[in-house]
């Protein structure tokens, strides 16, 4: 479980943010919002399902800085507040605007995007906005355990209150409440990143335009930047330029989770109930590694009766300095719920079927073609009664363990955190295993009445901690041995060993392959910071393209409903192709390898080879098949041997009518097989027969015959004429890609690609 987080973003929308600076084709506000939208969608809870990191405990708020006070940023108004009430400082009054406190709905996110626009004012104090953000977080988080964060994005061109005492009070409050402050500036100078804005205005307050209440003053060039930097340094926060922040958006975010123990109890060696010498150590088991799955899509539907809510989308700063924090509006989408009905054949019921309740059903196990019923009483006898335990049952040397035996991800076993005796005892076991170069074999039952598993326990000794690492290994019944022919020799039936064979690589081919692999070596192709050879593709820079591409697409679509999704980040595709320099370097070795392997281009498959083929006739002119007594007129296809008989018929027929008749007979066999199938037991055989029919008719250039069969099969499936509801077969049929033969597959077909795609629709 991740920690709870409350983050407030302060966005500067002043008139100066509408300028296009430093050769950018977008305004400073759009450039800044690239960063803000990415951060919001990375943690925002949309439809109660987080966009990126699957977070249900991340709360977000947005404050507008230098707004017009009209209709900017989600219908917000300009409010006044008192510093004295907020932070017990002096009573100077400032102005700021606040919006969208802790939104959860996707509608609010889209609405906020529509409201973000450049204002017409230059007035606005960023320090005042920080005070409002502090008050929002204090109001929401109270004294509870939250990660508190304030992010300010500005160009630093608005006038700041020149009050060092106020800044020190803000610093004190941020430090006391353990808040993190991040200030990102448009075109801020950053020596560490290597960016410095040339020809910067001597005053970073206005660019020559002035509002009605704006008075230009000759402030030193970096005064605002220096004020922000001083504030951040005193709070131990983060200060940087927006250019660097936007560049780092492409680096995938790693999900941080709080580990949850899968087992808490004794680690025993021997039976403590019978032997006094048995060892029992209180331990805890936590996951060490886990597979992160891509964000899964869910089905939602627009709520027909949206919940009426009187909540507002703005937060109001009350006269006494308090902030009214309304709850988020109810979600306007709802989950799609599936319902299942059960039917049995009943000739007296309407439609020949009668609905039955799930309570009237009995559980059965498939035994051949028979359903075997076992009632709950008998089934309870088959369950193994177990108690939660972790018991060492043996030891094995390191050399005797094969790594392919590991079946799961690894877990960590540590001693009970507050038990010094257990910590010492487990440390002794770990060091004993390490010194003896052995693994322990243990039996784990994580909870009572759960099935036991076998674990391999390996010692792990680091500088600052010790633990046992475990992976699940198979039982004896789970291990199945298969024999494969050797790769370096051919053994004949008589037992003769052949070292040179057409299926064995020659010495020249082996040498060429070895040279090519050596030339394509990536282990030292990269360069470190000092220019020395290093690993080209370190694991820390290798990310899952599928996982993070889906993450990027979802976050983009959350705030850009209609715009095209941008291409994947460069870091995701960096290692999808070998380095160009390395490919050029190894080109000659590849050519030698192709020559040694006698690689040739495979000619394209010729369609319809048998339509107008000239059959080879014997020189004698005799009809061999007639002499052997074969009957060409035999066209009956049986269900027991359908595929060979169908191929025999289409190979011997002389007319298109014979081909159609053979396809019709095979179609009848397929439909009967589907109709009589017990569950999906006969689906695989039916799909194989359909695939053979499609393949043969493509070679015979008779697509209409197959297309007619496929359309008729679809109609019968949807009409439930093949043994009831057989939509599960339709999905298997579609997954096997056995659809209509279109013009792309065969030029003589009359079915277009669009018609072939429409065939898969169930409408």
């Amino acid at each position: 479980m991740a920690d709870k987080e409350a983050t407030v973003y302060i966005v500067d929308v002043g008139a100066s943010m509408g300028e296009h600076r430093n050769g950018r084709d977008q305004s400073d506000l759009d450039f800044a919002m690239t960063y803000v939208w990415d951060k919001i969608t990375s943690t925002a809870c949309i439809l109660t399902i987080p966009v990126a990191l699957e977070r249900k405990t991340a709360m977000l708020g947005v404050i507008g800085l230098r707004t017009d006070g009209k209709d900017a940023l989600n219908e917000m108004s300009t409010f006044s507040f008192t510093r004295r009430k907020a932070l017990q400082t002096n009573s100077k009054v400032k102005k700021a605007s606040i919006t969208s406190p802790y939104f959860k709905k996707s509608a609010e996110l889209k609405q906020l995007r529509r409201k973000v626009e450049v204002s017409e004012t230059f007035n606005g104090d960023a320090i005042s906005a920080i005070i409002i953000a502090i008050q929002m977080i204090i109001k929401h988080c109270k004294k509870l355990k939250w990660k508190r964060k304030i992010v300010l994005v500005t160009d630093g061109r608005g006038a700041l209150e020149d009050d060092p005492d106020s800044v020190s009070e803000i610093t004190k409050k941020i430090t006391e409440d353990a808040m993190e402050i991040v200030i990102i500036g448009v075109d801020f100078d950053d020596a560490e990143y290597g960016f410095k804005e040339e020809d910067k205005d001597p005053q970073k307050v206005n660019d020559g335009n002035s509002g009605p209440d704006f008075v230009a003053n000759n402030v030193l060039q970096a005064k605002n930047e220096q004020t922000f930097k001083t504030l951040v340094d005193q709070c131990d926060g983060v200060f940087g330029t927006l250019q660097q922040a936007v560049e780092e958006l492409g680096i995938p975010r790693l999900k941080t989770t709080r580990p949850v123990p899968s087992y808490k109890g004794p680690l025993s060696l021997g039976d403590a109930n019978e032997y006094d010498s048995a060892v029992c150590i209180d331990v805890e088991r936590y996951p060490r590694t886990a597979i992160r799955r891509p964000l899964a899509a869910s089905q939602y539907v627009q709520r027909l009766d949206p919940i009426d809510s009187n909540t507002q989308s703005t937060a109001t700063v009350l006269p006494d300095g308090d902030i009214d924090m309304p709850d988020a509006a109810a979600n306007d989408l709802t989950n799609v719920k599936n319902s299942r009905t059960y039917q049995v054949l009943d000739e007296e019921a309407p439609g020949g079927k009668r609905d039955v309740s799930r309570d009237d059903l009995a559980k059965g196990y498939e035994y051949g073609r028979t359903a075997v019923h076992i009632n709950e009483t008998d089934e309870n006898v088959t369950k193994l009664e177990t108690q939660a335990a972790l018991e060492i049952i043996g030891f094995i040397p390191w050399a005797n363990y094969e790594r392919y035996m590991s079946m799961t991800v690894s877990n960590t076993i540590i001693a009970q955190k507050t038990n010094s005796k257990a910590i010492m005892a487990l440390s002794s076991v770990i060091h004993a295993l390490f010194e003896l170069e052995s693994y322990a074999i243990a039996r784990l039952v994580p909870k009572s009445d759960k099935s036991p598993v076998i674990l391999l326990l390996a010692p792990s000794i680091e500088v600052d901690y010790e633990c046992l690492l475990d992976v699940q290994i198979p039982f004896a019944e789970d291990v199945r041995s298969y024999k494969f022919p050797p790769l370096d020799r051919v053994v004949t039936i008589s037992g003769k060993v052949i070292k040179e064979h057409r299926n064995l690589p020659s010495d020249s081919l082996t040498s060429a392959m070895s040279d090519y692999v050596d030339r394509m070596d990536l282990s030292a192709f990269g360069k470190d910071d000092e220019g020395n050879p290093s690993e080209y593709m370190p694991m820390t820079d290798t990310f899952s393209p599928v996982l993070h591409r889906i993450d990027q697409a979802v976050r983009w679509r959350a705030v850009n409903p209609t715009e095209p999704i941008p291409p994947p980040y460069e870091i995701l595709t960096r290692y999808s192709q070998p380095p160009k320099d390395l490919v050029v370097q190894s080109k000659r070795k590849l050519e030698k390898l192709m020559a040694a392997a006698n690689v040739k281009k495979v000619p394209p498959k010729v369609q319809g080879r048998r339509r107008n083929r000239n059959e080879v006739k014997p020189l004698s002119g005799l009809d061999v098949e007639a002499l052997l007594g074969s009957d060409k007129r035999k066209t009956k296809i049986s269900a027991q041997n359908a595929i060979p008989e169908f191929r025999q018929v289409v190979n011997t027929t002389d007319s298109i009518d014979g081909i159609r008749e053979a396809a019709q007979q095979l179609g009848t066999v397929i439909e009967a097989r589907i109709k009589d199938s017990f569950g999906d037991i006969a689906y695989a055989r039916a799909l194989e027969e359909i695939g053979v029919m499609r393949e043969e008719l493509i070679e015979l250039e008779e697509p209409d015959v197959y297309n007619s069969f496929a359309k008729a099969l679809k109609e019968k499936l949807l009409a439930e004429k093949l043994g009831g509801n057989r939509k599960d077969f339709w999905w298997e049929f579609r997954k096997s890609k056995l659809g209509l033969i279109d013009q792309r597959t065969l030029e003589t077909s009359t079915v277009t690609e669009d018609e072939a795609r429409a065939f898969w629709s169930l409408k």
Side-chain angles (χ1 to χ4, degrees), residues 351-368:
K353 295 181 181 179
R354 175 171 52 87
D355 292 344
V356 295
S357 173
R358 180 181 174 84
D359 297 335
D360 298 333
L361 301 179
K363 183 180 291 187
Y365 294 88
E366 185 177 341
Y367 185 72

Side-chain angles (χ1 to χ4, degrees), residues 33-42 44 46 51 103 105-114 116 552-564 566:
M33 291 308 297
T34 303
Y35 171 81
V36 175
W37 288 131
D38 186 272
K39 291 298 181 181
I40 287 178
T41 54
S42 296
I46 297 179
V51 175
F103 53 85
K105 292 198 310 175
S106 61
E108 292 182 358
L109 185 62
K110 295 176 182 178
Q111 185 182 15
L112 179 64
R113 177 174 176 81
R114 291 194 298 268
V116 174
Q552 177 193 5
V554 172
R555 288 188 286 111
W556 175 268
R557 184 58 73 225
V559 293
N560 300 278
T562 58
E563 297 181 14

Side-chain angles (χ1 to χ4, degrees), residues 191-211:
E192 295 182 1
Y193 174 65
F195 176 82
K196 186 178 188 303
E197 185 181 11
E198 300 296 338
D199 301 327
K200 185 178 293 185
D201 245 347
Q203 54 175 7
K204 198 163 188 183
V205 180
N206 189 9
D207 283 7
N209 302 318
S210 59

Side-chain angles (χ1 to χ4, degrees), residues 200-349:
K200 185 178 293 185
D201 245 347
Q203 54 175 7
K204 198 163 188 183
V205 180
N206 189 9
D207 283 7
N209 302 318
S210 59
D213 300 328
F214 180 79
V215 179
N217 49 58
N218 293 326
V219 184
L220 295 177
Q221 176 184 10
K223 180 177 180 180
N224 287 351
E225 293 185 23
Q226 188 60 39
T227 302
F228 290 137
K229 193 172 189 312
T230 302
L231 174 62
V232 168
D233 291 341
Q234 293 176 357
C235 300
D236 197 18
V238 178
F239 177 86
T241 183
L242 186 61
Q243 282 80 347
Q244 181 181 6
V246 172
E247 285 184 8
E248 293 179 352
L249 294 180
I251 301 177
R253 299 163 182 81
L254 301 182
K255 182 179 179 181
T256 302
T257 58
R258 182 182 300 169
V260 178
S262 57
Y263 173 78
K264 281 188 176 182
L267 169 64
S268 59
L269 177 58
D271 191 349
N273 296 326
E274 296 186 10
Y275 304 102
D276 297 335
S277 58
V279 177
C280 290
I281 306 172
D282 292 328
V283 298
E284 299 176 359
R285 182 173 182 256
Y286 295 90
R288 181 180 178 88
T289 58
I291 300 175
R292 182 179 172 187
R293 307 292 183 185
L295 187 65
S298 301
Q299 294 179 334
Y300 295 94
V301 66
Q302 192 77 23
R303 191 188 297 274
L304 297 179
D305 51 344
I307 299 176
D308 185 17
S309 176
N310 295 325
T311 59
Q312 302 176 358
S313 60
T314 61
T316 306
V317 183
L318 301 178
D320 61 353
D322 249 349
I323 295 182
D324 185 15
M325 300 276 296
D327 295 332
N331 206 330
D332 56 354
L333 296 181
T334 183
N335 292 330
V336 176
K337 298 181 180 180
N338 299 324
S339 62
R340 184 186 295 267
T341 59
Y342 301 89
Q343 296 178 330
V344 295
L345 298 177
D346 188 350
E347 297 180 356
E348 299 180 358

Side-chain angles (χ1 to χ4, degrees), residues 269 391-396 433 439-443 455-457:
L269 177 58
E391 304 166 339
I392 296 178
I393 58 179
F395 301 91
I396 181 175
L433 291 174
Y439 297 132
I441 307 297
R443 175 181 179 270
L455 301 180
L456 179 82
L457 308 183

